[in-house]
Amino acid sequence: AMFSLVLYPYVYLLARAAPPGVRHKPFADRQCFSCHESQFSQKLRGEIAETCQHCHKSIFEPRPFRHAPAEAGYCLGCHNPHESLENGLLAQSARRTCAECHEESQVLRTPAHKSIGQEACHTCHDPHGGQNRFFLKEGVPLRPPNLASADPS
């Protein structure tokens, strides 16, 4: 309990004086109890996914295909819970986040990825899941126009 009392002022100062970036709204508003048992507790109100689902319902909606970390409720595998310099509270850049599990050299061998340059994966893919096995966002063709007539093998 003493640890929480000592930590609380530090967290309060972080919420007020952190460098520019993205802050989780409850953290920025010092509404720690939105996710934690109290302002003074490090203990979450429930399991991580259950806690996140209270506000981020759309991410947890049923989809025909789910990305394994999202399905498992492994939110902190990709996201920082309080703040980040990256959009979406990612722990690191989107491409680096994906490359933690997906070998970039193999991804770039895929014909559809030949000309992506430094584009972030989430430009075309929803990292939480989707309507097809590649998690392509709505409007992104299964086969890019430059490959539409190419041999699929």
Side-chain angles (χ1 to χ4, degrees):
M2 181 56 94
F3 177 77
S4 296
L5 291 175
V6 171
L7 184 63
Y8 174 72
Y10 174 71
V11 171
Y12 173 82
L13 290 173
L14 273 177
R16 293 185 62 214
V22 179
R23 289 194 189 98
H24 195 218
K25 184 159 175 40
F27 177 71
D29 294 344
R30 295 186 302 278
Q31 301 294 312
C32 304
F33 54 84
S34 295
C35 303
H36 297 273
E37 286 189 348
S38 76
Q39 289 289 112
F40 307 103
S41 175
Q42 294 297 302
K43 188 173 181 187
L44 294 175
R45 292 180 162 271
E47 295 295 321
I48 290 171
E50 178 186 336
T51 301
C52 297
Q53 189 171 0
H54 285 293
C55 298
H56 304 286
K57 291 174 180 51
S58 66
I59 290 171
F60 294 90
E61 288 175 353
R63 302 170 189 206
F65 296 90
R66 299 282 299 171
H67 196 209
E71 182 71 20
Y74 188 54
C75 307
L76 299 182
C78 300
H79 301 278
N80 279 330
H82 296 123
E83 63 187 354
S84 173
L85 294 176
E86 303 292 334
N87 287 330
L89 291 169
L90 290 176
Q92 52 192 339
S93 74
R95 274 186 78 151
R96 288 187 70 132
T97 298
C98 297
E100 288 290 324
C101 299
H102 303 277
E103 182 64 44
E104 191 166 6
S105 64
Q106 290 200 352
V107 169
L108 294 175
R109 283 189 206 133
T110 306
H113 295 138
K114 291 275 189 223
S115 62
I116 62 171
Q118 290 302 306
E119 196 68 49
C121 305
H122 68 276
T123 301
C124 298
H125 302 274
D126 183 324
H128 301 106
Q131 299 300 311
N132 59 65
R133 68 186 185 110
F134 300 112
F135 316 136
L136 292 173
K137 292 182 175 180
E138 190 173 322
V140 175
L142 189 58
R143 297 191 61 68
N146 62 330
L147 296 173
S149 61
D151 179 11
S153 55

